[in-house]
Amino acid sequence: MPGKVWIEGFVVDADAARVPVFDRGFLYGDSVYEVMRTFGGRPFALGEHLERLARSAALLEIALPDRALIEQATVAVMEASQEKEVYVRIVVTRGSGPIGLDPAFADAPRLVVMALPLKVPDSALYRDGVAVALVGARRSSLGAPGAVDPQAKSGNYLNSVLAVAEARRKSAYEAVLCDAVGRLAEGASSNIFVVRIGRLQTPPLSVGLLEGITRRHVIACARSLAIPVDEVALWPVDLQRADEAFLTSSVRGVMPVVRVDGAVVGEGQPGPITRRISDAYLADAQRG
Ligand code: PDD
């Protein structure tokens, strides 16, 4: 596998990077992470990703290494990769220790930073749009008793993994998850937006979803284009009857959605407001 990995203070070939089997990230998904991509060789919104990593770690009571170390490791591994554009993944696990859930068993947080050749979705997907499936898996609502706060970007993605499996069975590109009462929450690894009568709409954070960095930039782009933005509760019918829809994530950027569970959204092709927002987002990202 091409690419480089920073681990235990060294940059190694991606294939050679190893984590002990007693690492709690491996055993329990007891970790936090961030994913970003470079534009023009610079990681886009690195500061915002590091701030979200810190918030995720605080929510899960994982002590992060110093921000300076994370930054150094990120720069070192990116330089070593010698790729023009990279996919960067920063992972911090709670560490290793004797088997047992007690977080006190963990020795010290383990930092791993990966810099892999960037693989962006095929341009045909942006041109034609993608299909999504509304799946049975639920996003745990914010503040639901016993549920991990969806604002914590943890390594435990089982719910999303099963959601994507269901979406693939339905030949869909991405799964869309609802909350416990059936309101739209987000994609398995993306945020969801609809356009309705000239307004951009997306579920509010209070529904229980990850505050995507792309989501934040897209909202800002829409406002700068004088497109009104509503963070409002949305239901599956709002997606099915939308004029336009799209997904956002750091690697995919703005991905138009043209079908939901086999039914056509809007005109069945990427809409004009999606295009304007996507162009504005790309310009913003390329400026850095
Ligand atoms: N995931 N919601 C979920 C559950 C996610 O996992 C992600 C991103 C997003 C979008 O966030 P952002 O715009 O900050 O990338 C929303 C990353 C990209 C991943 O798992 O690869």
Side-chain angles (χ1 to χ4, degrees), residues 1-284:
M1 179 188 285
K4 297 285 180 186
V5 175
W6 186 102
I7 183 163
E8 317 278 348
F10 296 97
V11 174
V12 299
D13 289 340
D15 274 340
R18 297 282 180 275
V19 172
V21 292
F22 293 105
D23 185 281
R24 298 172 63 96
F26 172 70
L27 289 173
Y28 315 121
D30 192 0
S31 63
V32 290
Y33 81 103
E34 282 295 324
V35 170
M36 70 209 88
R37 61 156 290 182
T38 58
F39 281 94
R42 290 192 310 272
F44 178 57
L46 176 61
E48 286 173 74
H49 282 280
L50 291 177
E51 279 152 31
R52 188 170 65 185
L53 186 71
R55 282 200 305 279
S56 301
L59 283 166
L60 300 183
E61 299 172 29
I62 292 177
L64 274 194
D66 282 348
R67 181 171 167 144
L69 175 66
I70 302 176
E71 279 173 348
Q72 265 170 31
T74 304
V75 170
V77 76
M78 279 176 43
E79 279 175 1
S81 82
Q82 296 197 331
E83 296 284 340
K84 206 162 145 266
E85 302 289 10
V86 284
Y87 165 104
V88 180
R89 190 178 188 96
I90 302 173
V91 183
V92 179
T93 78
R94 200 183 298 275
S96 305
I99 287 183
L101 295 183
D102 187 345
F105 292 168
D107 49 12
R110 170 171 282 110
L111 170 65
V112 176
V113 187
M114 306 172 195
L116 309 177
L118 179 69
K119 284 202 208 101
V120 289
D122 203 282
S123 59
L125 297 179
Y126 293 97
R127 188 193 61 216
D128 301 336
V130 298
V132 297
L134 288 155
V135 296
R138 296 290 157 137
R139 195 65 165 120
S140 58
S141 299
L142 192 70
V148 173
D149 188 332
Q151 294 295 332
K153 195 161 170 55
S154 86
N156 182 340
Y157 259 63
L158 271 183
N159 215 29
S160 294
V161 168
L162 295 181
V164 169
E166 187 179 338
R168 289 288 181 277
R169 285 196 294 275
K170 296 173 167 169
S171 305
Y173 171 84
E174 171 68 311
V176 173
L177 287 82
C178 294
D179 74 352
V181 296
R183 297 173 298 185
L184 297 181
E186 61 181 336
S189 62
S190 56
N191 292 113
I192 180 100
F193 288 81
V194 300
V195 176
R196 190 89 175 122
I197 324 176
R199 305 185 75 84
L200 183 64
Q201 303 189 315
T202 195
L205 302 182
S206 57
V207 165
L209 49 101
L210 183 75
E211 185 183 9
I213 310 286
T214 321
R215 176 185 184 277
R216 202 187 287 162
H217 283 260
V218 155
I219 290 174
C221 286
R223 292 201 167 122
S224 71
L225 293 169
I227 297 165
V229 183
D230 310 313
E231 292 185 56
V232 285
L234 297 171
W235 299 83
V237 67
D238 296 311
L239 179 56
Q240 287 147 353
R241 295 201 191 137
D243 299 327
E244 303 178 26
F246 59 84
L247 300 167
T248 62
S249 78
S250 295
V251 171
R252 287 166 285 197
V254 174
M255 176 60 77
V257 170
V258 294
R259 297 181 84 82
V260 182
D261 291 329
V264 169
V265 174
E267 304 286 317
Q269 57 187 35
I273 292 187
T274 303
R275 288 238 184 272
R276 284 173 65 205
I277 291 174
S278 170
D279 290 350
Y281 173 75
L282 272 178
D284 180 22

